[in-house]
Amino acid sequence: NHIVADKFTIFDFGAAWCGPCHIAAEMLSMALRHESDLAVRAIELGSNPLKSFDLPVAQQHLRYAAGLPHFVVYAPSGRVVYQGSEIDALLRKIEKKRK
């Protein structure tokens, strides 16, 4: 229900206490300003690192994630095209899928 039609939808799992999450958020913000076929759904895991992974959303979606940030990207077709924590790899994957 949260996938945006005709766009790459990026689910961005992050937390206030996660330094790399802030860097990734800045890069995603910049990409959103320049690319009209992107949509981001930010999932904030809270400010307490001891309780963040106890949240139901974390239990459901981050069971096998290496850490934060964690991204899941859906192509306009609705197919998952990327899962991982590297923002640069995510952006390269989207660029490759556009061609």
Side-chain angles (χ1 to χ4, degrees):
N1 290 340
H2 300 289
I3 296 172
V4 179
D6 301 322
K7 293 191 180 214
F8 289 92
T9 305
I10 304 165
F11 288 83
D12 174 11
F13 295 87
W17 50 266
C18 169
C21 296
H22 294 281
I23 295 166
E26 287 180 31
M27 292 180 73
L28 284 175
S29 179
M30 193 173 357
L32 279 170
R33 285 193 297 271
H34 294 98
E35 305 294 343
S36 62
D37 65 345
L38 298 179
V40 174
R41 300 293 184 244
I43 298 93
E44 171 62 42
L45 299 179
S47 59
N48 185 335
L50 299 176
K51 295 184 180 183
S52 293
F53 290 95
D54 293 336
L55 296 172
V57 70
Q59 293 292 312
Q60 181 179 357
H61 297 285
L62 300 178
R63 183 175 304 172
Y64 302 108
L68 295 178
H70 183 74
F71 307 100
V72 179
V73 180
Y74 289 84
S77 67
R79 184 171 174 241
V80 173
V81 295
Y82 179 82
Q83 289 189 56
S85 62
E86 298 294 327
I87 186 69
D88 292 330
L90 175 157
L91 295 172
R92 282 193 308 273
K93 180 62 95 170
I94 289 173
E95 187 60 35
K96 186 175 179 181
K97 291 293 182 182
R98 283 185 180 126
K99 295 178 182 179

